[in-house]
Amino acid sequence: MKLLLVGEYREGKLQGSVNDLMAFAQKMGAESAMFLVGTEGDVPKFAGTLYLADVKKYGEYNPAVHKELLLSAVAQAKADMVVFSHSSYGWDLAPRVAYALKASQVSEVVDVVDGMPVAPVCNSKLRRTVQPKTAVTVLTLQGGAFNLDGEPLGTPVIEKIETAAASALVFGGYEQAEQGGVDLTKAQVIVSAGRGIGKPENIAIIAGLAKALKGEYGASRPVVDAEWADHNRQVGTTGQTVSPKLYVACGISGAIQHLAGMKKSEFVVAINTDKDAPIGEVADVLVVADLKVFVPLLTDKINAL
Amino acid sequence: MNILVCIKQVPDMESKFKVGGDGLWYDSADLAWRMNEYDEYAVEQAVQLKEKTGADLTVLCIGPERVKETMKKALAMGCDRGVHVADDASYRKDPFSIASIIAEFARSKNFDLIFTGMQSQDRGSAQVGVLAAEMLGLPSITTIVGFSFEEGKITVKRELEGGVKAKVTSPVPALVTCQLGLNTPRYPTLPNIMKAKKKELVSVAVSELLKSEAVQETKAVYFPEKKGGGLVLEGDAGDLADRLIKILKEKTAVLA
């Protein structure tokens, strides 16, 4: 088996997710090469061939062109498994490459059992083992699912990749997240509201506990999408990544995108009516209770201390 | 203008899931079914575009008879007609097969825009939209949280990690996959629910549209092993609060 790992480059920087790909190669014990649309001045530590296309020429986001570049690298490397991160870059590019290679794609892989990729089903409540039936397979890996043993080492041998392909898409630049307001990354205590709060008025309950604990309140994506809380309070992949001393998750079931943003917290308390909610996986303490009853009670008791 | 929106019916994710009898998917009994959340944003965006341009809007859904209930919601939100691809075994189809069905349906219809969700809440492959676009030779843009259509071009915002967005412009025809937060999906009003009952909703047998073989198969579906470690507290709320405060005093410095 020969793997081709697809690195990512954004806003002028190589993305750290490339370590996850190397960790996967390590777990598979397979020979691997790497592909990157990036720049020679910012390549990963990697002992193998790096198929490098110039980002200045091909752009950071141009999937039809990146596809052609990657197909050329797959052919040169004689790779039979193409491995992406399950990210906005990876899930966008992977199916294009899979279709061109007549390859089977398995998305958001969290494990490999008996040589077969395992993917989550229904917000990670279930797992699914998949048997690809094609000569080449394409995988996207869930962030953080594979961890590198040791530091990456080596200097890659660079092979330049070119293409004449063009695309009708025009990339119009990046827009940064709104600045200002609360900075959750600096909070020592965060009490977060999930969909389980039921209605916007209940944000006050969550904010109340956060105040009693001298912290800030945060929110999961559905709460922010419903405009019950500001975007700068969103914890998760598309919001803030936080690591407070105490994280209290109220009515948050624990979608992987949320867990990715808070699992480095020192101590995690989850308050949920569902004992089996995935948030239990990362919680030091899971309180099985209705937050609308329990949180005000807890807040009063803490305030009375 | 001619628009297609593709939707999926999924269980409420808060359901208590059980593994089905064949061990290859969750048991479909005793579940509450709804429109895939991502697809609600796709339908809303398609309806907004229809309202702006006077376009004709078709909604397509693959699955057993029960998916028609979800299609009726899309019709009540403003889609003009529904095409139900009747398939009792859709839960076993891989993303490649589902995309093939959509592409086969769309091929001769000259859709200017196709909207899908960026992924389904149950299978979560995030492949079907992009694969269908590749099969049709159309440009596709994934994970959009902003959309506008002017002078034959779409300008969208893709959501990237860490709250950053990327602005992208594409000519039509094109396909976009919609992310949560793209818009505010409307609730169907009672008059529109009544009107939707009279809208065309035809069923097509899946065998008429599926011309390809699956590229993968599910070997097993199962519950992940509990990693454990965490303490589970149950009981009277007042008592629970006292126990939690004791733990926070012992294990953290936040109540010091």
Side-chain angles (χ1 to χ4, degrees):
Chain A
M1 187 187 293
K2 174 88 182 268
L3 312 185
L4 184 64
L5 313 176
V6 182
E8 296 182 23
Y9 191 87
R10 202 180 92 196
E11 293 171 274
K13 279 200 291 285
L14 174 73
Q15 302 292 293
S17 53
V18 69
N19 284 357
D20 290 17
L21 307 177
M22 287 191 264
F24 177 79
Q26 197 176 50
K27 184 182 167 90
M28 298 296 283
E31 194 192 340
S32 55
M34 197 177 284
F35 167 83
L36 179 69
V37 183
T39 174
E40 224 164 324
D42 190 12
V43 296
K45 286 195 165 60
F46 177 67
T49 303
L50 171 66
Y51 296 92
L52 183 70
D54 186 358
V55 70
K56 283 189 212 72
K57 193 166 169 192
Y58 302 110
E60 292 186 5
Y61 180 74
N62 197 343
V65 173
H66 285 208
K67 175 181 80 174
E68 294 304 329
L69 291 164
L70 180 49
L71 290 175
S72 160
V74 170
Q76 288 184 47
K78 298 190 174 61
D80 47 20
M81 189 180 271
V82 188
V83 188
F84 297 81
S85 293
H86 193 67
S87 62
S88 60
Y89 181 80
W91 68 58
D92 188 87
L93 186 54
R96 305 172 200 264
V97 172
Y99 181 68
L101 292 169
K102 297 187 168 59
S104 173
Q105 180 187 334
V106 185
S107 305
E108 209 182 352
V109 172
V110 292
D111 200 359
V112 177
V113 175
D114 300 329
M116 288 183 287
V118 177
V121 176
C122 295
N123 269 342
S124 292
K125 287 194 171 184
L126 292 161
R127 291 281 155 85
R128 189 168 72 97
T129 309
V130 188
Q131 175 75 70
K133 300 201 289 187
T134 50
V136 180
T137 52
V138 169
L139 304 182
T140 64
L141 309 182
Q142 187 181 85
F146 298 90
N147 293 297
L148 198 59
D149 194 4
E151 289 290 309
L153 291 171
T155 305
V157 177
I158 293 175
E159 292 280 346
K160 297 245 171 91
I161 297 275
E162 305 273 347
T163 182
S167 145
L169 288 196
V170 178
F171 171 63
Y174 295 107
E175 192 179 292
Q176 298 301 323
E178 292 151 46
Q179 298 297 316
V182 63
D183 183 3
L184 288 184
T185 61
K186 294 201 173 70
Q188 300 286 306
V189 176
I190 298 173
V191 183
S192 278
R195 211 193 286 254
I197 66 166
K199 53 182 182 183
E201 293 76 25
N202 288 335
I203 284 282
I205 299 177
I206 306 302
L209 177 59
K211 196 172 169 218
L213 290 166
K214 300 181 185 64
E216 285 292 345
Y217 76 90
S220 70
R221 175 161 199 146
V223 171
V224 172
D225 281 343
E227 296 176 356
W228 298 354
D230 289 339
H231 185 265
N232 55 26
R233 294 192 183 269
Q234 186 179 322
V235 175
T237 324
T238 52
Q240 304 293 322
T241 300
V242 299
S243 49
K245 290 202 160 60
L246 172 65
Y247 190 88
V248 186
C250 306
I252 293 177
S253 64
I256 180 67
Q257 293 81 358
H258 187 78
L259 300 186
M262 50 64 71
K263 65 186 174 193
K264 288 191 179 136
S265 304
E266 280 177 36
F267 199 82
V268 177
V269 174
I271 300 160
N272 210 302
T273 49
D274 180 5
K275 213 170 150 177
D276 299 320
I279 189 79
E281 295 262 317
V282 298
D284 295 285
V285 180
L286 172 63
V287 180
V288 185
D290 178 355
L291 71 93
K292 295 185 274 301
V293 177
F294 177 74
V295 174
L297 229 156
L298 178 66
T299 307
D300 287 348
K301 283 182 187 266
I302 289 172
N303 282 333
L305 286 177
Chain B
M1 205 178 182
N2 209 359
I3 313 171
L4 176 68
V5 59
C6 304
I7 65 170
K8 182 177 184 179
Q9 187 188 55
V10 296
D12 188 315
M13 287 300 127
E14 301 302 312
S15 306
K16 289 273 176 215
F17 288 99
K18 285 181 286 195
V19 175
D22 60 7
L24 300 177
W25 201 231
Y26 52 77
D27 189 346
S28 64
D30 304 323
L31 292 174
W33 297 92
R34 48 165 296 168
M35 191 187 300
N36 179 39
E37 206 175 356
Y38 299 87
D39 303 345
E40 290 186 2
Y41 293 88
V43 170
E44 176 62 34
Q45 203 60 52
V47 171
Q48 285 183 17
L49 183 61
K50 167 200 155 66
E51 287 168 346
K52 188 180 161 191
T53 63
D56 186 85
L57 174 54
T58 301
V59 57
L60 178 141
C61 187
I62 304 168
E65 191 65 19
R66 66 170 145 73
V67 307
K68 282 185 176 171
E69 283 310 308
T70 296
M71 299 187 72
K72 281 176 192 160
K73 180 178 180 185
L75 293 171
M77 286 173 78
C79 295
D80 294 308
R81 68 182 52 73
V83 176
H84 166 225
V85 180
D87 183 7
D88 288 341
S90 61
Y91 74 96
R92 285 205 307 248
K93 297 226 166 29
D94 63 355
F96 184 86
S97 302
I98 297 291
S100 304
I101 293 166
I102 293 168
E104 184 64 25
F105 170 78
R107 188 156 285 129
S108 54
K109 309 271 190 316
N110 297 318
F111 291 110
D112 299 285
L113 267 166
I114 302 177
F115 290 88
T116 72
M118 67 92 40
Q119 64 181 353
S120 61
Q121 288 174 281
D122 54 358
R123 193 180 283 259
S125 79
Q127 294 178 35
V128 169
V130 182
L131 283 174
E134 292 295 302
M135 290 168 184
L136 291 164
L138 296 179
S140 60
I141 308 171
T142 60
T143 339
I144 67 163
V145 288
F147 177 91
S148 67
F149 175 76
E150 303 285 343
E151 295 165 5
K153 278 186 178 165
I154 54 169
T155 298
V156 303
K157 286 177 189 169
R158 293 193 71 220
E159 185 180 62
L160 313 179
E161 289 70 21
V164 179
K165 292 166 191 159
K167 221 170 143 183
V168 185
T169 303
S170 169
V172 298
L175 181 147
V176 291
T177 80
C178 303
Q179 168 66 306
L180 308 178
L182 168 62
N183 47 45
T184 307
R186 69 192 68 190
Y187 290 103
T189 60
L190 191 58
N192 285 341
I193 292 169
M194 301 311 288
K195 254 192 256 170
K197 289 182 199 291
K198 296 195 185 97
K199 287 181 179 173
E200 181 187 322
L201 205 179
V202 294
S203 287
V204 182
V206 67
S207 54
E208 286 179 35
L209 295 169
L210 183 61
K211 310 267 162 88
S212 66
E213 298 267 312
V215 295
Q216 60 184 226
E217 59 181 84
T218 299
K219 281 292 171 191
V221 162
Y222 50 91
F223 284 94
E225 268 175 54
K226 288 269 172 216
K227 291 200 186 92
L231 181 67
V232 179
L233 299 183
E234 288 179 275
D236 166 71
D239 180 42
L240 285 175
D242 290 335
R243 286 161 71 193
L244 182 59
I245 287 171
K246 188 161 176 281
I247 292 168
L248 291 179
K249 280 183 174 168
E250 285 168 8
K251 306 273 184 169
T252 77
V254 301
L255 291 179

